[in-house]
Structure formats: structure tokens, C-alpha cells
Amino acid sequence: MPDGPRPPRFVRWLGGFGCAAAGYAVFQALFGLLPDSIDGQAARYAIAGVAGLGTALAAWLAAELLRARSERAPAGTGPFTAGSASLSGPGPLPQLFSSAYDALAEQLCVVDDPGCGRLTGWPHSLGESAGRPTPVGTAYGLHIALDLGVPDGRLSTGDLVETLWRLRLPDGGWSARSQGTVARPEVTALVLGALARAGAEPARVAAEVARCESGFTLELDRTGRELTHVVTTVLRGLLRAAPRSDVLPVLQEALVDGAVTDPRRQHRRCWSYRLAPLHGPPSPLHTSLAVVALDRAARVLGESAGARAAREDGVRWLLACTDAPHDSCLDLSSLREEVRRPRSDDPSRHEVLNVRHFTASWVVRALLTPGARDIAREDGLEAEWRERLDGAATAVWAAQTDGIWTWPREDTTSELRRPMWMTYQGLSALRGHAVWMYQPHG
């Protein structure tokens, strides 16, 4: 967390008592427990009194520690409580959205490239010293601009769309910086989803969709087809760009078939990082990715009984988390993943893409899918659903400052600490949480 480690549970428990009440309770209990062999009533009173005063002082110090930590936390990193704002004034989200928009407008990169022409967008992360728009950074920036509504002309969605087309590889498609000049389906689907959402020319989008579909097969990209992250990313992107694509039911079924069971959580089906043996351990992040993708596919394509059962099991698996507190439980731990593919120019060597995952944002999205609350109500787990959802939203809120999300310092270089994808996922998760939880008063 940006404001430092959480206080120990004992400190939080002790700080919850009134100082005098805690001291008096210890005095009374200790006075009754001291043996009669202690010489005189005065001695017993003295011992119990000192213990009571010590407890009261400890409770006061714990309370002061908690108060000081809450006052020291920077703006935007405190606990996020749904429905805390009254109708007398705005809640914290409008300011957060405004700050995020201002930061993106201020750090927009405009570069005249000799080969591509004028590029307007963002690099992979905000604050990079050699800032040049990239397909990934600009696609997520376009998604953010569309989410925030583009209240003024500082961000032009037309310029962003044109930049994404100019960044297209010579043979079609898009790739991340570390993937060279070979188009990759997960990046292509991400860009196509953003372009389609912004209203790009349908014929151009359809041509790129066809190229993406033809390259995303077991024969041509076995690595990608066996990874939960890649399959769910392609599925979500094509659902936006080509909802009638013949590939979508195939990917939906592959995702369902790739589920595993977890005996530690009532043998519920869930997902790991791989859809094929060896699958790996059950993963809250990959289970959330699968639940979100299957929910969106169900609304567009429909779903079989098996697909529905797998999706609902994934929700129940997430609700079965027993760790606490739920704003910092193990299920919310962010992850790193490597996507290793043989290089097209030299199959004996591998192209490595390092992927970081903001797990809390995906848990929020999964628990906000339309069927998740129905499942919780059906199982009598509405309280658990709300507790886990609010805990994940609090963790998402705590990772940002002034509307920009930051990856933990110890895991990367300073230039890669504010990735565009993380800010998009954080904003999207909080926006969805706020919309879902809105309750009109009166």
C-alpha cells in the first residue's frame, strides 16, 4: 500500500477499545484472578491497578497510531467505502476522474515519426523519459478517454484512433514493444476492441479481425491458445470488434474446458494460468479473468449448461476465500506472468513478454458481473459477496494517487511504475463499482 504496511491485527483490535474501558476491564479481571497468597489487599490493588493503567496507555497509543496513520495517508489512498457520500455533496470519484483526465492530458505524447507520421498517444507507462506512443499505451488511453467522456478538446479520440492505425505493423496487426515486428493476437484484439468502441471504420476493423483470427490457432500459436490470459484477452477484444466472429464460440468452449477443480474450496471449478496440462495452481486472478470473459460471451453468444455451470462455479470459488481482512487478503495479490513464444526468425530462441496483473481490479469486475449477485443471493452469501467486493474495491482505491495507479516500487524500474493499463483497470473497476452500488435516496 502507498501509505505503508498495515498495523498488526492486535494493534487494530486494541485500538478499537476505549482507553478507560480497556484499562478498567483488565483491572477488574486481574484483581479477581490474583491469588490470596499475595500479601494484603493493597498489594493486589497495586498490581491490578498498574496492569490496568498499562493497558489503558497501550490502548491510547494504539488509537493514536491508527489516527496518525489515517491523517498521514496521501490524498486518494484512504479506505473506499461505497455509499459513504450523502446527497449534500459529491463523493470522491468525480475528483479522482478529473485528476486522472488532467494527468493524461498533461502527459500526452505528440511525436512526428519519419515512418509513421504524426503520432498522438501514450507510451506503455506515464513518465517514461523516452516517451513515444505505443499500441498498448495508446489503446488503454483511448479506453480511458471513452470512459471519462472526453469533457474538453485536450484529448481527441480521432487523433488517438488515427495513431493506432499508423502504428499497425506492415503485415497487419499490432504487437507490444518486446514482441518485435510479429503481430500477436492479444495485443491486436486489445487494439481492435478500442478501435471498434471508438467507432473506427468497420471495413478496416473487419480486415484486421480476419488476420487476427487466422493467426490464433493451435497450429500457429499453441502457446497463446494454452494461456488463460491470452485467450480471455482475445475473447474480450473480439466480442467488441466482431461479435459475430466464428472464433468466439471456439474460444468460449476452450475456456470452459480449461477449468480445474480445487478440493480446498469445495471442489469448485476455477482457473489457473494455463488452460492445458500442466495447468498450475488455482489462481484468483485467472479465475476472475475467465468469469468476466465468459459472462460477456454469454450475453453475446448465449451459453451452454456446461459453460454456465463453470462460470457460476468460478464466482462461488471467489466467494469461498477464507483469508481476512478482505481488502488485503491473499486472493488480491497482484501477479507477474511470462508469455514465452518461439521467435519467428529463430525458433530455437524465445520471445518473452512480461505481463503484470492488477488482481484486485479483476476481482471487482468478476464480482460485479450480472450473475454474481444472483449466485450470492441464491446461495445465501450476499453478506460475503458484499464484503469481498467492497474489500477488493478498497484495495483498488488504495493503489492510486490522484487518479493514477502505481505498480509496487520493488518490482520494476521507476519508469515502468505507472503503466497505462493499470490506471485504466483501476478507473474501470471503481466506475463499475460506483454504478452498481448506486442507490437513489428518498
Side-chain angles (χ1 to χ4, degrees):
M1 298 299 179
D3 56 332
R6 295 168 54 84
R9 292 185 181 181
F10 172 75
V11 173
R12 287 184 273 129
W13 170 81
L14 191 59
F17 288 96
C19 306
Y24 182 72
V26 170
F27 168 79
Q28 285 284 70
L30 192 58
F31 184 81
L33 292 173
L34 288 173
D36 294 334
S37 59
I38 293 180
D39 189 22
Q41 288 284 94
R44 295 174 67 191
Y45 271 111
I47 295 172
V50 169
L53 287 173
T55 301
L57 178 60
W60 177 81
L61 289 173
E64 286 298 300
L65 171 63
L66 296 176
R67 183 182 63 80
R69 286 175 60 83
S70 64
E71 291 178 353
R72 190 174 69 246
T77 60
F80 177 69
T81 305
S84 61
S86 68
L87 292 181
S88 61
L93 285 180
Q95 180 58 49
L96 180 141
F97 291 159
S98 177
S99 298
Y101 183 87
D102 290 342
L104 293 182
E106 290 170 2
Q107 300 197 42
L108 185 69
C109 295
V110 181
V111 176
D112 289 319
D113 185 271
C116 300
R118 193 172 183 83
L119 303 177
T120 302
W122 295 271
H124 183 80
S125 295
L126 295 175
E128 290 189 30
S129 57
R132 181 183 184 277
T134 65
V136 173
T138 302
Y140 278 115
L142 178 55
H143 274 305
I144 294 172
L146 295 172
D147 273 359
L148 297 181
V150 194
D152 54 52
R154 288 179 291 170
L155 299 182
S156 168
T157 55
D159 289 344
L160 300 177
V161 167
E162 186 58 32
T163 293
L164 287 173
W165 284 121
R166 290 175 178 175
L167 290 171
R168 189 176 70 98
L169 295 170
D171 294 330
W174 291 264
S175 67
R177 287 183 301 190
S178 63
Q179 293 174 320
T181 58
V182 178
R184 292 306 184 189
E186 65 272 25
V187 181
T188 298
L190 164 68
V191 173
L192 288 173
L195 289 172
R197 187 180 174 197
E201 184 180 345
R204 295 182 74 183
V205 171
E208 292 302 326
V209 166
R211 292 189 182 93
C212 180
E213 292 172 339
S214 64
F216 195 47
T217 64
L218 281 171
E219 293 75 22
L220 297 177
D221 190 5
R222 177 170 292 275
T223 298
R225 285 291 297 268
E226 291 181 348
L227 294 179
T228 305
H229 155 67
V230 175
V231 170
T232 54
T233 301
V234 174
L235 187 56
R236 294 195 314 271
L238 293 186
L239 283 168
R240 277 191 169 121
R244 288 177 288 278
S245 168
D246 293 335
V247 171
L248 292 175
V250 177
L251 298 182
Q252 181 186 33
E253 192 63 27
L255 195 53
V256 172
D257 291 342
V260 297
T261 57
D262 185 2
R264 297 172 300 175
R265 296 193 185 184
Q266 304 169 346
H267 293 275
R268 300 290 188 192
R269 274 175 290 183
C270 56
W271 281 264
S272 68
Y273 83 103
R274 281 176 55 84
L275 298 174
L278 300 166
H279 293 88
S283 162
L285 176 276
H286 295 93
T287 298
S288 298
L289 289 174
V291 167
V292 171
L294 289 176
D295 175 80
R296 294 185 186 179
R299 282 181 277 166
V300 175
L301 310 173
E303 62 182 346
S304 65
R308 179 177 181 177
R311 176 176 57 82
E312 292 181 345
D313 251 15
V315 173
R316 291 185 171 100
W317 187 89
L318 291 171
L319 293 176
C321 172
T322 58
D323 193 24
H326 289 290
D327 61 345
S328 59
C329 64
L330 294 176
D331 272 16
L332 302 182
S333 301
S334 290
L335 302 177
R336 294 181 60 185
E337 178 179 348
E338 283 190 353
V339 180
R340 301 175 63 89
R341 289 183 173 100
R343 287 177 48 170
S344 57
D345 59 341
D346 184 0
S348 65
R349 302 174 63 189
H350 284 81
E351 154 204 301
V352 180
L353 177 67
N354 286 301
V355 182
R356 293 175 173 84
H357 298 291
F358 187 15
T359 303
S361 71
W362 284 108
V363 172
V364 170
R365 289 185 181 188
L367 295 180
L368 285 178
T369 53
R373 187 172 187 177
D374 294 337
I375 294 169
R377 183 183 294 114
E378 177 185 330
D379 293 354
L381 297 174
E382 283 188 276
E384 289 80 358
W385 172 79
R386 176 63 66 91
E387 182 181 9
R388 284 151 182 75
L389 175 58
D390 288 349
T394 296
V396 171
W397 178 269
Q400 59 81 33
T401 301
D402 295 330
I404 300 298
W405 270 257
T406 304
W407 190 261
R409 182 183 302 274
E410 66 274 7
D411 192 43
T412 188
T413 65
S414 60
E415 285 195 349
L416 297 177
R417 291 190 59 224
R418 298 190 294 167
M420 289 290 292
W421 61 263
M422 192 174 186
T423 287
Y424 166 68
Q425 291 178 6
L427 289 171
S428 180
L430 292 184
R431 180 175 175 269
H433 185 261
V435 170
W436 186 273
M437 293 301 176
Y438 171 72
Q439 293 289 337
H441 294 269

